[in-house]
Amino acid sequence: MRCDDCLAQLDALHDSELMPVEETALRAHLSDCPDCARAYDILARTSHLLQEGLVHYSAPDVLKARIHGALMRERDAEPPVRAVAPWNRWSRLAAAGLAVALASSAATFAAMRQSTAARSAADQVLASHVRSLMPNHLIDVASNDQHNVKPWFNGRVDLSPQVPALDSSGFVLAGGRLDYLAGRPVAVVVYTRRQHVINVYSWPEAGSDTPEVTTTAQGYHLMRWSKGGVAYWVVSDLNAGELSQFVTLYQGRGLEQR
Ligand SMILES: [Zn+2]
């Protein structure tokens, strides 16, 4: 048996698709030919790896078809008498197998990210707010001074959040923190009113300006608006009237700061 014929049947051997007489001949060649034996070993190990370790998710059928088509074209493009060593050919196919596995995982990962992003921003903001109320989660930089809090965000998030001083109106700056919403870091400025915490989230978001919208969920008030390419969310268990007053002040003083 020639090496080319052997290599052409390795897939079938591995998948137990050969007739007994073919399998016997092939195994006889493998036991005599280190190159082909090595190619078979790579095939078997790669297959094992793919089954055991790498592929936990299935790729969309379109992606599978595209990769399969690309592999077939590569195979067809091989000259009948190969100048390429069997080792090279099989290592390329093994690499292609890994590419399939990685592409599958990447496609699934992208899909998971999309479904995460699809969760409403309100849910995520609210979950973040509740999380922030746990001990030691509220504040990364504690300061009543806006000149300490605002610069702290530099280089940590891709916008410089408004940090107006509102203590004369009874809203005391407590500090700021970095939080993660929809898989990216966002700026959170924290104020307090009596025993109530007010979290102000902001992040860059393309789109036109939108007026304030107030919603209530799980006993918290959420107010959101967009201005100048920035999305704002304010969450608190403060009563709606005082929270609305806070937002008015935050927006007004925020503009003066620019
Ligand atoms: Zn051989």
Side-chain angles (χ1 to χ4, degrees), residues 3 29 33 36:
C3 289
H29 179 84
C33 175
C36 288

Side-chain angles (χ1 to χ4, degrees), residues 57-60 63-64 67 96-110:
Y57 314 104
S58 56
L63 177 62
K64 280 183 190 162
I67 293 170
L98 287 174
V100 172
L102 294 175
S104 300
S105 300
T108 306
F109 185 60

Side-chain angles (χ1 to χ4, degrees), residues 1-4 6-7 29 33-37 86:
M1 176 180 285
R2 298 188 316 147
C3 289
D4 284 346
C6 171
L7 293 173
H29 179 84
C33 175
D35 284 346
C36 288

Side-chain angles (χ1 to χ4, degrees), residues 150-223:
K150 193 173 172 66
W152 181 84
F153 287 102
N154 289 347
R156 289 185 164 90
V157 286
D158 40 8
L159 95 169
S160 180
Q162 302 300 327
V163 190
L166 303 174
D167 46 331
S168 61
S169 305
F171 298 99
V172 179
L173 180 64
R177 77 171 182 279
L178 213 56
D179 220 322
Y180 287 86
L181 293 184
R184 63 174 172 189
V186 301
V188 190
V189 182
V190 184
Y191 291 85
T192 58
R193 170 88 157 186
R194 300 186 300 279
Q195 78 276 27
H196 303 282
V197 169
I198 305 171
N199 275 312
V200 183
Y201 299 80
S202 54
W203 61 81
E205 191 172 84
S208 47
D209 294 359
T210 58
E212 302 87 55
V213 176
T214 306
T215 52
T216 302
Q218 298 174 37
Y220 297 99
H221 296 294
L222 295 87
M223 291 184 71

